[in-house]
Amino acid sequence: MTPDFIHTPAVQKLLDRAAGSDGEGGDARLKHIMRDLLEALMALIVKHDISESEVWQAVSFLQKGAGEFGLIMPGIGLEHFLDLYMDAKDAEAGRDGGTPRTIEGPLYVENAPLVENGASLTSDPDDTGMLYMSGSISGPDGEPVPNAVLHVWHANSKGFYSHFDPTGEQTPFNNRRRLKLGADGRYSFQSKMPNGYSVPPGGATDQLMQALGRHGNRPAHVHFFVEAPGYRTLTTQINFGDDPFAADDFAFGTREGLLPVPNRQGDSAYIAFDFVLQRAQSASDEGFSARARAAA
Ligand code: DHB
Ligand code: FE
């Protein structure tokens, strides 16, 4: 079958009707996107001669894996693609500089305890060393950013995040805090050392990675939102530069400039890392993306 099959009158008419393109009402933007999406899927079916059985197997995979869509998005590179796309649009608009953004990932939990600078993030026992992190938050001219809130979240020594821990062993906000910072833009916190993360064994993401001949591992890392009045909210992470998966992160969250090598002292480690924010150009720059997030 040639790709032209997509352009036959029967298929084009089907697309117009399916996407509501031939009628009034509905959301015009959605109708355009839906029509293109359906046409792209149909073109894919023709290009790879995907059988009826294969289509329904794919539907079943998506149905059973729905709970892991948030994990699959980074795994298939789409979350990183969004970063690349936002970077490219920023560059086009002359908005560059500052700490690189990188993926939020699916494991943030809203409303973590708001604590003073210097606090510990860890509430639960964990048989490992300490992580000490500190640095500055500054703006484009090197000015200290006052009154920032630094959201921090990371896994425990088993690579599990509180709220999403299959062992059920962690209290809700373990290794999650919001640090309320002062006028000098300095931050520091201590925490129990995180370990690398792996996708849930046997889950949809794991199945997909195996079918692609890939793995589902991330290096040890720490997530951040940096929020401050007058500045653009930054979504980023640091990944441990000396972790074996630092150069092979299944979620594509590792980026140049975000791979500090911890200063290790036995089981413990020190990381110095400075954040540089862009100024906000609109109120929405100071907010968060509209993504659905877990709450505890
Ligand atoms: C995934 C897990 C993470 O901890 C992360 O930061 C990004 C992605 C995931 O399971 O896909
Ligand atoms: Fe993570």
Side-chain angles (χ1 to χ4, degrees), residues 171-192:
T171 55
F173 290 111
N174 190 43
N175 297 326
R176 303 176 182 278
R177 293 291 186 274
R178 289 176 297 155
L179 296 181
K180 204 161 113 39
L181 305 181
D184 62 358
R186 305 276 326 165
Y187 79 89
S188 69
F189 61 82
Q190 49 180 295
S191 203
K192 286 285 187 169

Side-chain angles (χ1 to χ4, degrees), residues 238-291:
I238 55 109
N239 284 261
F240 292 14
D242 59 359
D243 189 291
F245 288 106
D248 187 19
D249 172 12
F250 102 99
F252 308 98
T254 55
R255 300 194 84 173
E256 207 183 311
L258 301 175
L259 284 158
V261 176
N263 173 6
R264 298 199 185 257
Q265 312 277 337
D267 281 354
S268 295
Y270 295 81
I271 296 178
F273 189 84
D274 295 335
F275 297 93
V276 179
L277 302 185
Q278 296 180 357
R279 283 206 188 92
Q281 291 185 353
S282 66
S284 70
D285 276 353
E286 293 180 51
F288 291 76
S289 70
R291 159 177 201 157

Side-chain angles (χ1 to χ4, degrees), residues 68-75 79 103-107 153 155 159 161 197-200 205 216 218 221 223 237 239 249-251 253:
E68 287 198 21
F69 281 4
L71 285 64
I72 291 174
M73 284 289 288
E79 194 167 352
I103 64 165
E104 172 179 331
L107 305 173
W153 69 105
Y161 284 80
Y197 164 96
S198 304
V199 294
T205 317
R218 299 210 59 209
H221 60 280
H223 293 264
Q237 348 175 337
N239 284 261
D249 172 12
F250 102 99

Side-chain angles (χ1 to χ4, degrees), residues 11-39 42:
V11 173
Q12 289 299 311
K13 190 163 171 237
L14 173 63
L15 281 166
D16 285 338
R17 293 191 58 202
S21 317
D22 61 350
E24 298 297 312
D27 180 322
R29 176 172 159 80
L30 178 67
K31 287 158 78 150
H32 283 127
I33 294 171
M34 190 68 182
R35 195 187 188 288
D36 285 350
L37 175 65
L38 292 172
E39 188 164 32
M42 291 173 186

